[in-house]
């Protein structure tokens, strides 16, 4: 018969059972009737004939059962046996709900959490680039010389226009050559002017990523817009928008394709929306504009802003690529060797213009937060790996203990004639069933966990692909836990099946069967569990310590009831120092007159305006950041309540206008207020007031006289590094750098002031950009979010690990108490008191706990390097933390020992002796 | 488990059933009767062996069954040989012949 028909028949036998059974009944009945007929014909009375026919036929039900088995065939028999085994296993599992729940939960958590973290890690960091052969997608940049550190910069900036042009001329070398540049365009709202982050891209940008838009289309080759030398667009253009901007700005309008938006004086038509997960180059990009390659006049100077991405042809080698880039670099430097435009900057690098490549993957990994995230996720993965190991160890001890308890059952069943293979099969079914249940739970945990762990990914990180659950990892973790279950479930069953029949019968009812090797084996598992739990606890302890330290950091001022308002002014005002200062002064006046405002300070960070200063003495040049502060009524330190440690604050006479906007214009002596870090760097242990220093890179050799000393300040984050800072009146700084900030000290809830603040800003300057308004105490607290999240995860994992190890040691000791019932009974009979018995059991526990803790401390000392990057002012070897977690673990484990020990004391000596 | 013995007996019973079916469809009771008669009342097939064997042969695909009406106007299940069953019968019959010849040779050689 062909296998298909046979299969069909088997299934029919299994699933059309009732109908087939009825037919069988009918057939047997007809047989008996025929037999009866024969007897009657032979001369028997009808009643007797019938009886005889039944007697001849034999045991009807037995025959039917045999017939059914025959009917199903081999496959059907296997299937129906498996079905029975599954039902049996389910019954067994239901009989011990505690074991089942713990096993399934731990499996689900272990499988789910590790798969989720790995999925995030893999899709965001390890393999962030979608599409085939991501390793052939390269980023090309000029090697950059950092003149401040006098070394090659690790930054992978990009290329300047002539290089891009030269690469374009060699376009045939690449399979695809695209570039992007991040920028922003302005959009007028009802009150302020909004700056919208976007990326200018070559029109083929999207074809690199093999990611189609969710709505509409991406750019066509001829849609690129030319830009003039000031970056203005020559005409209206099309844009592709991000999912986030579609949601926030277009309210998720399904008919968004074809809608227009006015930005920086041009109309932009939406032609497509990218998927939610696609955010490249990150940093809050709202949309992409197709732009022509730049055509700048040769004397223009611009930085290496053009980020070039290239797909290399399959047959091209790394060496060929580099050789080609070297040729391009050489040609560009020759073409621009006449001293005009770019050429004066080629020689910044000692090797002249040189190009380098790296896989695009690194662009994401090396991005701010990328490296930290990678370490964070690996740390979590390690933590989860430990939890998984503890889970496995626990399942091992649980099934081992259970199996040994059931060894009597097995022995009894073998004595009663059960097939040994059948027995093993049943145990196997149970383990696999358990693993499947755990795996199913794990699937749920995974999907939920991916969302949870995605919260660790900083928003600034470029994202290219959807984070989908990694099937391979899910399968691997599932297999590992299934293998554990099978292995340790099988050991007792196998041993039971190997036991000679006579032995097996003798074993029925006997508890004294566990061999020494097995208890030693289980002891080892518990020791490993405890040590793993200790490592997890140490990590969690260090993180808790960090977060506590962080939240207790004195930021150097009073963050309560303090608002920070950063105000953006049109960049065109850049050179008009008087106008800017007038606007800022006006805004200050308006803010100060609002009801509920106690003080308003002004802060200006010129960003690139840090200067190098040098002082007379043994110290070399010291880098100092220069910041602008308000003077007198707009004094920054008064508003923030930064303590003035010595000297006086800045005042109006200290303002030397135009100094920073023109390095050459002012000579003489300027007053500065410095912070503690600077004082400690330059004059440790001495009074800095009245001391002088001068700047190196200013041609004027300007002198600075320290008039005041203030405390160090952490304005934005609790874990912010504090460096040496010199404060000068903000009036001297022009518009570049970070937006000026107003720090407003209020008497009551600062949130109620926000509408008034917005109103006053518009009133002071109609062209004002949308301000950033933050409650300082809130943003400080939010700055600890990453650490708090990380801490939470570690604490949860450590808690799970701790609980599981407690269960582990509890199980082992309970088992050993049960095993030693007779021994304990004898001890008590010969006069041991209850305390002695408790001591006896506890001693066993203490042995295991001590071994576990010692092992764990050693492992933790080595492994905590994985959390080190997240630690704040805590040494990863902090003895307090190590002692603390050891203590916690020891007490929980001892508590777990106590229950079996107390149970031992309740043993009645007389009963115990009769126990077996 | 005494598996080998069972196999031997089972194989023999299978052969007998296939043989009785060679002359046309017949129901279970008829098979039992026919085997008894054909063996001169020496072989008495137990129903406990007969029916499982029938179901096994159906599952193997050597025979099929269908409902019919018996000579006494009763509903009965008739079994008949399939093409593969016919081949199987030929194979098993020749096997059996070889085996019994061999045994006979041994028994007669004194």
């Amino acid at each position: 018969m062909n296998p298909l028909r046979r299969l069909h028949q088997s299934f029919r036998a299994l699933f059309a059972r009732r109908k087939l059974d009825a037919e069988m009944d009918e057939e047997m009945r007809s047989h008996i009737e025929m037999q009866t007929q024969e007897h009657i014909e032979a001369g028997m009375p009808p009643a007797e004939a019938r009886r005889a026919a039944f007697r001849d036929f034999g045991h009807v039900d037995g025959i039917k059962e045999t017939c059914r088995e025959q009917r199903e065939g081999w496959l059907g028999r296997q299937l129906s046996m498996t079905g029975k085994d599954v039902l049996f296993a389910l019954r067994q599992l239901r009989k011990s709900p505690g074991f089942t729940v713990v096993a399934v939960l731990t499996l689900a958590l272990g499988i789910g959490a590790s798969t989720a973290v790995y999925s995030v890690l893999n899709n965001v960091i390890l393999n962030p680039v979608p599409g085939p052969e991501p390793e052939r997608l390269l980023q090309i940049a000029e090697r950059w010389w950092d003149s401040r550190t006098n070394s090659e910069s690790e930054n992978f900036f990009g290329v300047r226009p002539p290089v891009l042009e030269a690469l374009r001329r060699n376009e045939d070398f690449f399979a695809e050559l695209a570039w992007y540049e991040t920028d922003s365009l302005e959009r007028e709202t009802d009150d302020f002017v909004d700056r919208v982050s976007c990326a200018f891209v070559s029109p083929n940008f999207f074809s690199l990523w093999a990611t189609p838009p969710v709505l509409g289309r991406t750019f066509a080759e001829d849609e690129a817009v030319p830009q003039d030398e000031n970056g203005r667009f020559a005409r209206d253009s099309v844009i592709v928008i991000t999912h986030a901007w579609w949601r926030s700005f277009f309210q998720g309008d399904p008919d968004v394709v074809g809608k227009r938006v006015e930005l920086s004086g041009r109309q932009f038509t939406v032609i497509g929306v990218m998927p939610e997960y696609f955010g490249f180059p990150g940093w809050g990009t709202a949309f992409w504009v197709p732009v022509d390659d730049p055509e700048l006049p040769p004397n223009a100077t611009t930085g290496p802003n053009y980020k070039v991405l290239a797909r290399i042809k399959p047959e091209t080698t790394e060496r060929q690529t580099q050789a080609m880039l070297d040729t391009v670099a050489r040609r560009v430097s020759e073409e621009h060797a006449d001293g005009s435009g770019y050429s004066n900057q080629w020689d910044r690098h000692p090797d002249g213009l040189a190009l380098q490549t790296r896989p695009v993957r690194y662009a994401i990994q090396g991005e701010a937060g990328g490296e930290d995230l990678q370490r964070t996720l690996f740390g979590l993965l390690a933590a989860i790996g430990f939890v998984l190991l503890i889970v496995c160890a626990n399942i091992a001890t649980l099934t081992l203990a259970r199996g040994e308890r059931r060894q009597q059952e097995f022995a009894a069943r073998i004595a009663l004639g059960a097939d040994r293979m059948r027995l093993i099969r049943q145990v196997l079914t149970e383990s696999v069933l358990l693993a499947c249940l755990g795996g199913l739970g794990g699937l749920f945990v995974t999907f939920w966990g991916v969302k949870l762990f995605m919260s660790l990914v900083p928003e600034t990180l470029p994202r290219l692909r959807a984070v989908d659950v990694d099937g391979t990892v899910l399968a691997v973790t599932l297999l590992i836990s299934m293998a554990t279950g099978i292995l340790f479930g099988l050991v007792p069953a196998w041993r039971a099946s190997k036991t000679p029949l006579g032995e097996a019968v003798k074993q029925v009812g006997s508890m004294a069967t566990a061999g020494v090797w097995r208890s030693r084996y289980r002891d080892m598992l518990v020791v490993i569990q405890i040590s793993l739990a200790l490592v997890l606890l140490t990590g969690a302890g260090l993180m808790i310590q960090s977060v506590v330290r962080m939240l207790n950091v004195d930021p150097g001022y009073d963050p309560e009831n303090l608002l920070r308002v950063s105000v953006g002014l049109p960049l065109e005002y850049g050179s008009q120092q008087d106008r800017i200062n007038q606007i800022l002064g006006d805004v200050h006046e308006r803010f100060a007159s609002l009801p509920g405002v106690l003080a308003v300070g002004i802060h200006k960070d010129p960003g690139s305006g840090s200067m190098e200063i040098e002082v007379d003495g043994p110290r070399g040049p010291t880098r100092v950041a220069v910041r602008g502060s308000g003077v007198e009524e707009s004094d920054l330190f008064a508003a923030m309540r930064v303590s003035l440690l010595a000297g006086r604050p800045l005042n109006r006479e200290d303002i030397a206008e135009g100094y920073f906007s023109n390095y050459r214009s002012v000579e003489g002596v300027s007053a500065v207020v410095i912070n503690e870090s600077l004082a400690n760097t330059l004059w440790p242990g001495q009074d800095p007031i009245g001391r002088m220093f001068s700047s190196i890179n200013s041609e004027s050799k300007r002198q600075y006289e320290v008039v005041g000393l203030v405390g160090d300040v952490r304005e934005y984050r609790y874990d912010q590094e504090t460096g040496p800072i010199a404060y000068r009146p903000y009036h001297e700084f022009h518009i570049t750098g970070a937006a000026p900030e107003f720090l407003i000290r209020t008497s009551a809830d600062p949130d109620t002031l926000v509408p008034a603040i917005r109103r006053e800003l518009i009133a002071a300057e109609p062209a004002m950009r949308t301000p950033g308004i933050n409650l300082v105490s809130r943003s400080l607290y939010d700055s600890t979010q990453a650490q708090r999240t990380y801490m939470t995860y570690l604490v949860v994992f450590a808690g799970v690990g701790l609980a599981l190890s407690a269960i582990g040691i509890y199980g082992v000791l309970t088992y050993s108490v049960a095993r030693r019932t007779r021994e304990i009974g004898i001890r008590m009979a010969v006069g041991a008191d209850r305390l002695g018995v408790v001591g006896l059991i506890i001693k066993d526990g203490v042995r295991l706990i001590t071994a576990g803790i010692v092992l764990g401390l050693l492992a933790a000392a080595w492994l905590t390097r994985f959390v080190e990057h997240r630690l704040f002012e805590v040494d990863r070897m902090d003895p307090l933390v190590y002692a603390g977690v050891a203590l916690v673990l020891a007490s929980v484990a001892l508590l777990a020992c106590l229950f079996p020990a107390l149970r031992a004391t309740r043993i009645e000596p007389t009963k115990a002796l009769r126990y077996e | 488990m005494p598996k080998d013995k069972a196999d031997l007996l089972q194989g023999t019973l299978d052969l007998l059933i296939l043989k009785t079916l060679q002359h046309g469809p017949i129901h279970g009771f008829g098979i039992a009767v026919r085997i008894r008669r054909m063996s001169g009342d020496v072989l008495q097939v137990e129903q406990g062996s007969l029916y499982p064997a029938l179901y096994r042969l159906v599952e193997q695909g050597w025979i099929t069954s269908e409902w019919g009406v018996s000579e006494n106007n009763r509903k009965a299940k008739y079994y008949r040989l399939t093409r593969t069953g016919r081949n199987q019968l030929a194979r098993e019959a020749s096997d059996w012949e070889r085996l019994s010849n061999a045994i006979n040779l041994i028994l007669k050689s004194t």
Side-chain angles (χ1 to χ4, degrees):
Chain A
M1 186 162 45
N2 74 48
L4 216 67
R5 248 199 75 201
R6 176 165 290 184
L7 194 70
H8 170 76
Q9 208 161 1
S10 288
F11 272 97
R12 210 168 96 88
L14 280 179
F15 298 111
R17 178 163 246 172
R18 191 176 296 182
K19 184 164 170 278
L20 290 176
D21 277 1
E23 283 185 15
M24 200 194 296
D25 279 350
E26 176 88 41
E27 183 179 18
M28 309 236 153
R29 204 178 307 128
S30 105
H31 182 107
I32 288 167
E33 277 170 20
M34 287 186 216
Q35 182 77 61
T36 311
Q37 189 70 28
E38 201 186 64
H39 284 317
I40 290 172
E41 277 164 19
M44 249 187 227
E48 200 183 320
R50 192 166 180 74
R51 262 202 308 281
F54 266 108
R55 201 178 47 232
D56 288 349
F57 196 82
H59 182 50
V60 181
D61 286 328
I63 295 174
K64 279 192 201 159
E65 186 55 43
T66 326
C67 286
R68 271 187 214 118
E69 274 177 24
Q70 295 301 332
R71 187 174 67 193
E72 286 160 0
W74 182 84
L75 185 73
R77 271 199 297 285
Q78 297 305 310
L79 279 174
S80 81
M81 215 194 291
T82 306
K84 272 183 216 148
D85 284 348
V86 167
L87 284 180
F88 182 75
L90 278 176
R91 249 197 335 267
Q92 287 293 328
L93 290 179
R94 232 188 32 215
K95 260 200 274 179
S96 38
F99 166 78
T100 308
V101 167
V102 169
V104 169
L105 273 185
T106 48
L107 275 173
L109 273 180
I111 293 171
S114 44
T115 312
V117 169
Y118 186 79
S119 298
V120 173
L121 185 68
N122 187 47
N123 287 287
V124 178
I125 294 290
L126 300 180
N127 285 302
V129 180
E133 299 183 273
E135 69 284 353
R136 283 200 289 113
L137 208 50
L138 299 181
Q139 191 185 3
I140 301 173
E142 292 175 26
R143 284 165 65 186
W144 198 247
W145 192 258
D146 190 337
S147 56
R148 292 197 289 188
T149 58
N150 227 17
S151 63
E152 179 153 342
S153 168
E154 284 181 15
N155 282 322
F156 222 87
F157 291 116
V159 301
R160 284 168 281 185
V163 178
L164 179 60
E165 192 198 343
L167 285 171
R168 202 46 108 189
R169 269 182 272 150
N170 289 280
E171 206 169 359
D172 290 343
F173 181 86
F174 305 101
E176 188 100 56
L177 184 72
W179 59 266
Y180 70 92
E181 185 199 6
T182 50
D183 211 319
S184 66
L185 293 177
E186 294 184 332
R187 192 180 65 81
E188 296 207 14
T189 68
D190 293 342
D191 40 20
F192 296 101
V193 176
D194 238 351
R195 272 198 191 118
V196 189
S197 299
C198 59
F200 298 165
V201 302
S202 58
N204 62 344
F205 173 79
F206 287 104
S207 58
L208 288 176
W209 309 116
T211 306
V214 287
L215 278 179
R217 60 175 179 90
T218 52
F219 306 126
E221 201 54 47
D222 57 357
E223 279 175 318
V225 198
Q227 267 181 301
D228 71 13
E229 54 199 277
N230 294 319
R232 276 190 288 268
F233 289 105
R235 52 178 156 87
D236 294 347
S237 172
V238 292
I239 52 173
V240 169
I241 63 176
T242 58
H243 200 273
W245 205 52
W246 176 53
R247 277 278 173 73
S248 62
F249 186 69
F250 291 100
Q251 281 84 44
D253 179 5
D255 299 320
V256 70
V257 172
K259 293 261 158 71
R260 285 161 160 255
V261 54
E262 192 181 303
L263 296 158
S264 298
R266 288 281 176 204
Q267 293 289 329
F268 292 87
T269 309
V270 177
I271 59 161
V273 181
M274 289 306 282
E276 191 166 12
Y277 55 77
F278 189 91
F280 189 91
W283 292 102
T285 307
F287 56 87
W288 296 268
V289 193
V291 176
D292 257 350
D293 285 357
E295 276 180 41
L296 298 178
N299 59 352
T301 54
T302 173
N305 294 332
Y306 295 86
K307 314 266 188 191
V308 176
L309 302 169
R311 184 175 286 281
I312 304 300
K313 284 180 183 165
E315 65 273 15
T316 312
T317 64
E318 210 170 299
R319 187 177 295 177
Q320 284 172 323
T321 311
Q322 191 56 53
M324 181 268 179
L325 291 177
D326 290 345
T327 316
V328 166
R330 204 166 43 247
R331 197 173 312 146
V332 172
S333 8
E334 280 162 16
E335 282 166 15
H336 294 267
D338 56 352
S340 70
Y342 307 99
S343 63
N344 55 7
Q345 290 180 24
W346 295 151
D347 50 21
R348 282 177 67 133
H349 198 288
D351 301 344
L353 175 65
L355 296 173
Q356 55 181 344
T357 64
R358 66 174 178 183
V360 167
R361 183 154 49 95
Y362 294 144
I364 290 168
Q365 287 160 358
E367 191 64 57
E371 232 165 276
D372 262 4
L373 180 68
Q374 190 169 352
R375 264 184 304 202
T376 300
L377 289 175
F378 268 124
L380 277 181
L381 205 61
I384 286 167
F386 283 9
V387 174
L388 204 61
L389 279 178
I390 297 180
V391 165
C392 287
N394 234 18
I395 294 208
T397 34
L398 279 173
T399 42
L400 220 54
R402 211 167 112 80
E404 270 163 27
R405 226 177 308 129
R406 284 172 65 188
Q407 198 137 23
Q408 307 156 62
E409 179 201 325
F410 294 148
R413 282 169 58 192
I414 286 176
L416 292 175
D419 184 358
R420 282 162 196 223
M421 279 323 282
R422 195 63 212 278
L423 216 63
I424 289 178
R425 208 179 140 135
Q426 273 171 5
V427 174
L428 214 64
T429 309
E430 210 178 296
S431 302
V432 173
L433 192 70
L434 211 57
C436 287
L437 287 176
L440 201 68
L443 210 60
F444 283 108
V445 176
T446 306
F447 283 109
W448 171 77
V450 163
K451 288 207 183 78
L452 199 73
F453 291 120
M454 277 306 284
S455 66
L456 283 174
V457 179
E459 278 173 23
T460 52
L461 214 63
R463 296 240 321 273
L464 286 166
R465 63 190 290 177
V467 173
D468 34 38
V469 171
D470 198 296
T472 324
V473 179
L474 192 64
V476 166
T477 49
L478 188 63
L479 275 181
I480 290 174
S481 24
M482 205 184 291
T484 316
I486 289 172
L487 199 69
F488 292 96
L490 217 49
V491 169
W494 182 253
R495 289 173 58 84
S497 80
K498 281 282 174 199
T499 321
L501 208 59
E503 279 296 300
V505 178
K506 268 191 270 166
Q507 277 186 14
V508 175
S510 159
M511 278 303 265
T513 58
V516 177
W517 73 270
R518 240 175 309 157
S519 62
R520 208 172 269 165
Y521 189 47
R522 220 187 353 239
D523 286 356
M524 213 169 68
L525 282 176
V526 167
V527 168
I528 290 173
Q529 273 187 339
I530 291 179
S531 55
L532 290 174
L534 188 79
V535 174
L536 285 174
L537 278 174
T538 312
L542 288 171
M543 278 314 296
I544 293 175
Q545 185 82 332
S546 293
V547 171
V548 167
R549 293 251 168 104
M550 199 178 278
L551 291 177
N552 280 326
V553 162
D554 176 13
Y557 56 95
D558 177 10
E560 298 303 322
N561 289 345
L562 187 63
L563 273 178
R564 177 184 295 118
V565 181
S566 62
V567 296
L569 290 169
L571 286 174
E572 306 90 87
Y573 294 7
S575 50
Q576 306 168 45
Q577 199 77 17
D578 289 343
R579 186 169 176 190
I580 293 166
N581 288 342
Q582 196 198 328
I583 295 170
L584 292 181
D586 183 22
V587 170
H588 181 271
E589 217 164 283
R590 286 165 180 276
F591 284 170
S593 60
L594 287 173
V597 170
L598 300 178
V600 180
I602 297 180
H603 176 229
K604 177 87 177 79
D605 179 359
S608 54
S610 68
M611 58 176 186
E612 279 186 352
I613 55 169
E614 88 188 340
V615 285
D616 302 330
R619 285 190 170 272
T622 307
R623 182 175 298 281
V624 178
V626 181
R627 301 281 181 81
S629 158
V631 294
E632 296 177 14
E633 76 283 350
S634 63
D635 183 29
L636 177 68
F637 308 108
M640 289 181 81
R641 299 194 178 141
V642 178
S643 43
L644 182 67
L645 300 173
R648 63 165 179 87
L650 296 168
N651 59 38
R652 276 208 175 74
E653 279 81 66
D654 297 325
I655 302 172
E657 271 173 69
Y659 174 69
F660 274 93
S661 56
N662 186 345
Y663 283 88
R664 282 167 286 259
S665 63
V666 181
E667 299 227 354
V669 179
S670 297
V672 286
V673 168
I674 63 170
N675 70 353
E676 250 185 311
S677 290
L678 183 52
N680 288 339
T681 310
L682 297 182
W683 307 284
Q686 299 168 45
D687 180 14
I689 303 299
R691 297 199 181 250
M692 308 285 285
F693 59 84
S694 57
S695 101
I696 294 174
N697 53 353
S698 158
E699 289 167 25
S700 59
K701 280 280 171 196
R702 189 166 181 79
Q703 298 286 302
Y704 295 91
E705 183 190 355
V706 177
V707 296
L709 175 67
V710 292
D712 287 342
V713 170
R714 291 184 164 94
E715 304 109 304
Y716 307 106
R717 309 177 57 88
Y718 277 124
D719 56 352
Q720 193 176 323
E721 303 255 345
T722 56
I725 297 175
Y727 293 94
R728 285 285 299 151
Y730 75 87
H731 310 74
E732 302 168 353
F733 300 161
H734 48 104
I735 198 74
T736 55
E741 294 172 340
F742 289 83
L743 284 128
I744 306 175
R745 170 74 54 194
T746 64
S747 57
D749 181 12
D751 281 334
T752 58
L753 273 173
V754 172
I757 287 171
R758 295 176 67 97
R759 216 170 37 239
E760 295 300 338
L761 279 173
I762 283 294
E765 170 58 52
M768 190 71 77
R769 303 301 186 240
T770 307
I773 305 179
N774 296 301
L775 191 56
V776 174
S777 56
R778 197 178 298 147
S779 38
L780 272 181
Y781 182 73
D782 289 346
S783 73
T784 64
Q785 200 256 338
Q787 269 83 1
R788 280 181 290 125
T789 315
Y790 197 40
M791 177 193 82
T792 313
Y793 289 143
L794 285 186
V795 167
V796 167
F797 292 149
V800 170
L802 184 64
L804 287 177
S805 332
I807 291 173
I809 194 162
Y810 169 81
V812 163
L813 289 185
T814 302
Y815 182 75
S816 107
V817 166
R819 224 180 49 205
R820 293 166 66 180
T821 301
R822 195 211 285 259
E823 179 203 329
I824 293 166
I826 293 170
R827 280 172 188 269
M828 286 175 87
V830 299
D833 59 353
R834 273 154 203 271
L835 210 63
V837 171
V838 171
L840 189 70
I841 302 300
I842 297 262
K843 211 175 77 190
D844 264 8
V846 167
R847 201 166 41 88
L848 298 179
I849 296 169
T850 314
I853 286 181
V854 169
L855 209 64
L857 284 175
L858 291 176
W862 187 73
L863 282 165
T864 42
R865 67 190 64 215
F866 286 108
V867 293
E868 197 168 16
H869 70 287
R870 285 286 190 199
L871 295 184
F872 177 76
E873 292 188 354
V874 178
D875 182 17
R876 74 179 180 90
M877 292 297 185
D878 190 5
L880 220 66
V881 170
Y882 281 67
V885 295
L887 200 67
V888 168
L889 185 63
S891 20
V892 171
L894 274 177
L895 207 65
C897 294
L898 211 57
F899 290 100
L902 287 177
R903 189 166 311 147
T905 65
R906 283 197 294 274
I907 289 171
E908 298 276 339
T910 46
K911 269 192 198 158
L913 294 175
R914 266 184 279 133
Y915 184 66
E916 290 180 351
Chain B
M1 205 157 71
K3 211 176 171 199
D4 307 337
K5 212 166 111 200
D7 273 356
L8 182 66
L9 291 176
Q10 227 171 52
T12 318
L13 181 56
D14 288 357
L15 174 61
L16 294 180
I17 292 173
L18 293 176
K19 181 70 188 171
T20 51
L21 290 179
Q22 198 182 18
H23 306 298
I26 188 171
H27 47 70
F29 179 71
I31 295 173
V33 171
R34 199 177 278 183
I35 290 178
R36 199 175 65 219
R37 297 232 176 103
M38 283 162 76
S39 69
D41 282 347
V42 172
L43 294 176
Q44 187 83 19
V45 183
E46 296 286 326
Q47 334 310 333
S49 309
L50 173 66
Y51 282 98
L54 285 172
Y55 281 85
R56 182 173 59 247
L57 293 176
V58 170
E59 201 274 325
Q60 301 274 5
W62 293 335
I63 61 176
T64 59
S65 66
E66 62 216 340
W67 287 95
V69 179
S70 77
E71 48 277 28
N72 296 330
N73 256 343
R74 276 180 222 287
K75 201 177 163 204
K77 203 173 186 184
Y78 278 79
Y79 293 91
R80 74 180 156 77
L81 275 182
T82 61
R83 188 196 300 272
T84 48
R86 217 173 288 282
N87 296 339
Q88 180 68 17
L89 172 59
R91 207 163 33 242
E92 285 200 6
S94 75
D95 278 357
W96 177 263
E97 211 159 309
R98 243 199 355 259
L99 185 64
S100 61
N101 279 344
I103 293 172
N104 276 336
L105 280 175
I106 294 168
L107 291 178
K108 281 172 187 162
S109 72
T110 20

